[in-house]
Amino acid sequence: MKVSVIGTGYVGLVTGTCLAEVGNDVLCLDVDVNKINILKQGGIPIYEPGLEDMVKRNVAAGRLRFTTDMAESARHGTIQFIAVGTPPDEDGSADLQYVVAAARAIGQNMQEYKVIVDKSTVPVGTADKVRVAVQEELSKRGTQLEFSIASNPEFLKEGAAVDDFMRPDRIVLGAEDARAVELMRSLYAPFNRNHDRLIVMDIKSAELTKYAANAMLATRISFMNELALLAEKMGADIENVRHGIGSDPRIGYHFLYAGCGYGGSCFPKDVQAMQRTAKEYGSELRILNAVEVANERQKEVLLDKITARFGDDLSGKNIALWGLAFKPNTDDMRDAPSRVLIKGLWERGATVTAYDPVAMHEATRIFGNDPRLKLVDTQMAALEGADALAIVTEWQVFRAPDFAALKAKLKNPVIFDGRNLYDPKDVRAHGVEYFGIGRL
Ligand SMILES: NC(=O)c1ccc[n+]([C@@H]2O[C@H](COP(=O)([O-])OP(=O)(O)OC[C@H]3O[C@@H](n4cnc5c(N)ncnc54)[C@H](O)[C@@H]3O)[C@@H](O)[C@H]2O)c1
């Protein structure tokens, strides 16, 4: 099947590549010339496990191509995925300018029937806006062409995106005409062989499903984070509580980890956008409001612990930071808790020496060459002469450090563990002071 993917970011590149992998003829478009040039030269603009090899394989097989030419892209795919960014607007609502621009470009250039599929995370009602934009452009051209609109929200997780796409839990499809459903069903057939994962519904429900999923996951995290703060005051251990409740199948273990807050390109903006959408409909999502407030608060927790231990004035102190990405296996630092901690430490006069397995170039892009942030090549090098260690991302390589070596390198053997990676008793047994989140 001929497929075009508009927007070659985390979602677009993974979608296009995985669809090529199962035999489709895919053209990925982006307005970012730099990104497309990297891809055309055999490089890859993002870090995502397994993606680079898959891109290379499919480019070599002639099933995957990249372009900045909108007309070419609009003509190529019978299925036109829109996978552009939907960043928060100033008021927190999703900024739909890129989605609408993509829709207009399709309308300006299409020559025959298309299924226009929204894969970006968009508020309920966006499909109608896409339909109107395409129709307006066709009318301007004085052309009558048939097209279908569908919503196919993406549930992949950065860091496991290829696997999630190739082996999805579910494929949600909002579509209201048989032709679109049939085409999408055959597109997804290779991912559906074991059992039918396609859940077909009306478009508005599909749009809402994506926000509901992220909002539910964010709620679980904020709930555990608030309980962790309470557990600390009470002298209880949140890890014991997590085991205690996770064992209930109605609750389950997933997304119950207390930590230093959620970040990334999805949860923060989607929770905000959902609140904005609710307001437009005269509703208030009180729970989500609290989820967001609790998370903003949680991003300060590590700094609070550091100042409680060392005092408010951190001038002359150097803090080692393990982890910059908002979660492991990605270089994405959008809304990452590390950014809040770094800024907070700087404001109190401290400097930071940081290590992350893949996000260092992203940190350089964000912070430039600020002398208050030193990036080093190994996790142990970050500890050299530092006053304490703060852990912000739960990378596997941080899980079992040599505590004796760690103690020898730190000026003060203190760990502020924002991801509860260690057993406090083990760490303390090595003569290292330990502060987790909600732990005894
Ligand atoms: N990143 C995730 O884990 C994830 C998961 C599920 C859903 N989503 C959603 O998918 C959407 C895309 O997210 P992302 O993380 O891939 O974003 P991204 O910023 O990595 O990529 C978006 C790309 O779209 C391009 N673009 C913008 N306007 C364009 C246009 N008119 N034509 C062509 N290209 C254009 C940008 O240059 C950029 O490369 C968002 O709505 C996001 O909420 C993201």
Side-chain angles (χ1 to χ4, degrees):
M1 215 177 261
K2 282 183 187 278
V3 179
S4 293
V5 181
I6 307 173
T8 311
Y10 281 88
V11 168
L13 184 57
V14 171
T15 301
T17 308
C18 292
L19 288 172
E21 176 77 4
V22 297
N24 295 293
D25 176 4
V26 180
L27 181 62
C28 287
L29 168 87
D30 208 288
V31 287
D32 185 337
V33 180
N34 191 30
K35 208 172 253 191
I36 293 300
N37 281 341
I38 294 173
L39 286 158
K40 279 187 167 171
Q41 284 154 21
I44 183 157
I46 53 167
Y47 175 81
E48 189 57 51
L51 187 58
E52 189 164 359
D53 282 351
M54 205 186 253
V55 169
K56 286 192 173 137
R57 189 163 62 238
N58 285 284
V59 168
R63 290 189 298 261
L64 180 62
R65 289 178 299 121
F66 303 98
T67 186
T68 53
D69 182 347
M70 185 60 225
E72 187 192 1
S73 160
R75 284 175 195 149
H76 176 78
T78 308
I79 295 178
Q80 298 272 323
F81 278 104
I82 299 179
V84 298
T86 47
D89 224 335
E90 272 162 27
D91 63 356
S93 60
D95 181 352
L96 293 178
Q97 60 165 311
Y98 307 104
V99 171
V100 173
R104 289 201 179 282
I106 297 170
Q108 284 156 10
N109 293 289
M110 62 190 265
Q111 303 288 336
E112 59 194 355
Y113 171 79
K114 304 283 171 192
V115 188
I116 300 164
V117 187
D118 218 326
K119 201 161 230 342
S120 301
T121 302
V122 290
V124 171
T126 301
D128 294 337
K129 291 186 178 146
V130 168
R131 189 189 308 279
V132 168
V134 175
Q135 192 54 62
E136 276 177 7
E137 294 305 323
L138 288 173
S139 303
K140 279 187 208 160
R141 288 167 56 194
T143 322
Q144 292 272 347
L145 288 173
E146 267 188 83
F147 66 93
S148 303
I149 300 288
S151 163
N152 173 218
E154 184 49 59
F155 295 96
L156 61 77
K157 301 182 284 297
E158 280 178 30
V162 170
D163 215 44
D164 284 347
F165 198 97
M166 296 305 286
R167 276 174 283 279
D169 301 325
R170 78 291 209 195
I171 302 160
V172 170
L173 175 65
E176 288 159 14
D177 66 271
R179 194 172 177 187
V181 174
E182 199 183 308
L183 278 165
M184 293 300 285
R185 197 176 274 289
S186 43
L187 180 72
Y188 277 118
F191 306 93
N192 240 343
R193 289 170 69 88
N194 179 272
H195 63 270
D196 192 3
R197 295 173 174 89
L198 197 68
I199 306 173
V200 182
M201 57 180 79
D202 62 281
I203 291 176
K204 287 196 167 97
S205 301
E207 289 173 332
L208 185 56
T209 297
K210 173 64 194 177
Y211 279 109
N214 277 356
M216 174 65 90
L217 295 172
T219 302
R220 285 170 70 100
I221 296 172
S222 274
F223 174 75
M224 288 307 281
N225 282 340
E226 282 206 316
L227 276 196
L229 298 186
L230 180 63
E232 270 174 27
K233 288 188 181 156
M234 293 169 149
D237 189 324
I238 197 67
E239 271 299 289
N240 292 337
V241 177
R242 184 179 71 78
H243 278 284
I245 62 171
S247 52
D248 181 334
R250 293 169 303 175
I251 297 175
Y253 288 106
H254 292 296
F255 275 79
L256 285 185
Y257 291 93
C260 54
Y262 62 73
S265 66
C266 293
F267 287 6
K269 84 170 169 57
D270 293 351
V271 165
Q272 272 187 19
M274 197 167 171
Q275 290 175 74
R276 290 298 310 174
T277 310
K279 270 207 182 108
E280 280 165 27
Y281 285 83
S283 293
E284 195 185 345
L285 296 174
R286 293 178 191 84
I287 291 175
L288 281 197
N289 187 24
V291 167
E292 190 187 348
V293 171
N295 191 57
E296 289 309 303
R297 168 79 196 78
Q298 200 68 18
K299 286 184 178 175
E300 305 280 346
V301 157
L302 276 183
L303 184 64
D304 290 352
K305 287 176 187 283
I306 294 170
T307 53
R309 170 65 177 75
F310 290 110
D312 270 342
D313 181 6
L314 298 174
S315 316
K317 294 260 182 292
N318 176 252
I319 306 297
L321 205 72
W322 281 3
L324 292 159
F326 85 94
K327 68 172 182 179
N329 299 318
T330 181
D331 57 354
D332 198 339
M333 286 181 64
R334 288 179 278 188
D335 271 322
S338 64
R339 298 171 73 156
V340 176
L341 179 60
I342 289 170
K343 290 212 171 111
L345 289 167
W346 286 355
E347 276 161 24
R348 281 159 189 77
T351 55
V352 176
T353 305
Y355 170 75
D356 186 286
V358 299
M360 312 258 261
H361 68 278
E362 187 61 5
T364 308
R365 194 186 63 76
I366 293 165
F367 295 114
N369 289 319
D370 194 306
R372 295 171 297 176
L373 174 66
K374 190 172 160 203
L375 298 170
V376 290
D377 289 338
T378 66
Q379 66 199 70
M380 293 314 268
L383 307 175
E384 208 76 62
D387 289 275
L389 166 64
I391 300 171
V392 190
T393 316
E394 63 274 37
W395 281 96
Q396 284 289 357
V397 286
F398 300 154
R399 282 177 192 268
D402 176 344
F403 285 108
L406 182 148
K407 190 179 169 193
K409 283 190 187 290
L410 285 173
K411 249 193 247 168
N412 303 291
V414 189
I415 297 178
F416 299 93
D417 181 356
R419 296 296 171 194
N420 286 346
L421 293 188
Y422 313 127
D423 182 335
K425 284 189 211 75
D426 282 356
V427 182
R428 289 179 191 132
H430 285 93
V432 177
E433 241 181 290
Y434 179 81
F435 300 90
I437 309 284
R439 308 237 38 204
L440 280 178

